[in-house]
Amino acid sequence: MSDKFQEKVNENELTDVVELVGESGDVFKFYHIGTIEYKGDWFAFFQPSEPMDGIDPASIVIFQITDENGKEVLLPIKDEKLLDEVYDEYMKELEDEDDGCTGNCEGCHGCDGKD
């Protein structure tokens, strides 16, 4: 995969599937599963929506969101320590969301519907 991606959102689709376009024009389809702020930077979390060479379909791919010439660009995180920290923060935020569940959330998949 390329080092930089731009998100191409199809406004007509009612799904969370986004197309990430690499520098060479290759298109990769992912489910956008979350975005968090960590230490002043923003990070986006994706899961493949279709089979891809070299990527486990159950894996989470994390990109740092940056601005280049007025466009949002997604960069892979090369620093393993930062990658672990961002992943841990994301998991912590997910746990915090689950802790606040009232059990009255139709369609929510964050809990079993019980307090």
Side-chain angles (χ1 to χ4, degrees):
M1 275 202 234
S2 178
D3 284 340
K4 293 186 207 173
F5 293 89
Q6 289 185 326
E7 185 174 345
K8 178 181 171 187
V9 179
N10 184 343
E11 299 295 333
N12 297 322
E13 287 187 31
L14 298 176
T15 65
D16 290 323
V17 174
V18 295
E19 294 179 344
L20 301 183
V21 182
E23 287 180 312
S24 62
D26 295 332
V27 176
F28 303 93
K29 293 183 180 183
F30 287 90
Y31 293 110
H32 177 235
I33 58 173
T35 302
I36 66 166
E37 182 179 12
Y38 179 72
K39 293 186 175 180
D41 290 317
W42 286 92
F43 298 88
F45 296 74
F46 297 93
Q47 193 167 26
S49 67
E50 59 189 24
M52 292 183 201
D53 290 339
I55 299 179
D56 182 338
S59 66
I60 294 175
V61 180
I62 306 169
F63 294 101
Q64 183 171 0
I65 302 171
T66 63
D67 184 292
E68 276 189 14
N69 302 320
K71 290 185 179 181
E72 272 190 3
V73 176
L74 304 174
L75 299 174
I77 302 170
K78 296 179 181 180
D79 179 341
E80 288 294 323
K81 182 180 177 201
L82 177 60
L83 185 63
D84 290 341
E85 289 175 6
V86 169
Y87 177 78
D88 290 344
E89 181 66 20
Y90 177 71
M91 296 308 292
K92 180 180 174 247
E93 288 191 22
L94 284 180
E95 288 173 14
D96 289 347
E97 283 180 19
D98 285 347
D99 289 345
C101 183
T102 63
N104 297 322
C105 41
E106 273 188 53
C108 172
H109 301 291
C111 68
D112 63 4
K114 300 176 186 170
D115 280 341

